[in-house]
Amino acid sequence: MSSIFTKIINREIPAVIVYEDDLCISFRDIDPKAPQHILLVPKKEIKSLAEATENDAPLLGHLLIKAGEIARDQGFSDSGYRVVINTNKEGGQAVYHIHLHILGGRQMEWPPG
Ligand code: 5GP
């Protein structure tokens, strides 16, 4: 069964898309935890970081570089932001299609909750 994010990739459900290329798609989180909360999702359905393999290294590198570009394009790179990959249950993962959260627009706290 395809993930909710694959449904967004396939335009089966709507999203506010901010970036897309052959490998990934980026859109605004439906329930933002910061003034800027953007998700970046590979089109390949890797369930979580725990299931990524060495073969996925170029794709994961691509996502990190695009996360930086998206933060720049959206205007919150200089002020700062956080990139998060929630992984499995105790990591707080709800959608089992690997994704980066790009969070910005406010001061982030450390340690995270
Ligand atoms: P996770 O907890 O798996 O790291 O994050 C999943 C994220 O996906 C959550 O922040 C949640 O708000 C977001 N999300 C879940 N369903 C949808 C959806 O249908 N559309 C969008 N834009 N975001 C979603």
Side-chain angles (χ1 to χ4, degrees):
M1 207 192 89
S2 66
S3 77
I4 188 106
F5 293 160
T6 294
K7 289 186 169 45
I8 290 174
I9 291 164
N10 293 336
R11 306 306 200 265
E12 291 167 26
I13 61 171
V16 180
I17 294 168
V18 300
Y19 177 79
E20 183 172 21
D21 64 25
D22 288 349
L23 297 176
C24 62
I25 190 166
S26 185
F27 49 89
R28 295 207 167 266
D29 197 292
I30 204 167
D31 181 19
K33 308 299 188 297
Q36 299 280 354
H37 189 171
I38 294 169
L39 301 174
L40 178 56
V41 183
K43 293 184 175 177
K44 179 178 178 185
E45 268 195 42
I46 303 166
K47 281 194 187 343
S48 78
L49 186 58
E51 299 209 355
T53 70
E54 190 64 33
N55 289 338
D56 298 313
L59 176 59
L60 296 180
H62 180 76
L63 292 177
L64 275 182
I65 298 305
K66 290 301 162 189
E69 287 180 9
I70 290 164
R72 269 199 299 282
D73 290 348
Q74 296 293 321
F76 57 91
S77 178
D78 287 349
S79 51
Y81 59 95
R82 184 170 291 171
V83 175
V84 173
I85 304 177
N86 295 328
T87 302
N88 286 343
K89 183 172 174 294
E90 290 193 0
Q93 185 171 4
V95 176
Y96 280 77
H97 182 157
I98 192 172
H99 52 282
L100 280 62
H101 295 258
I102 309 166
L103 297 144
R106 65 167 168 80
Q107 180 62 52
M108 296 294 149
E109 305 294 329
W110 193 263

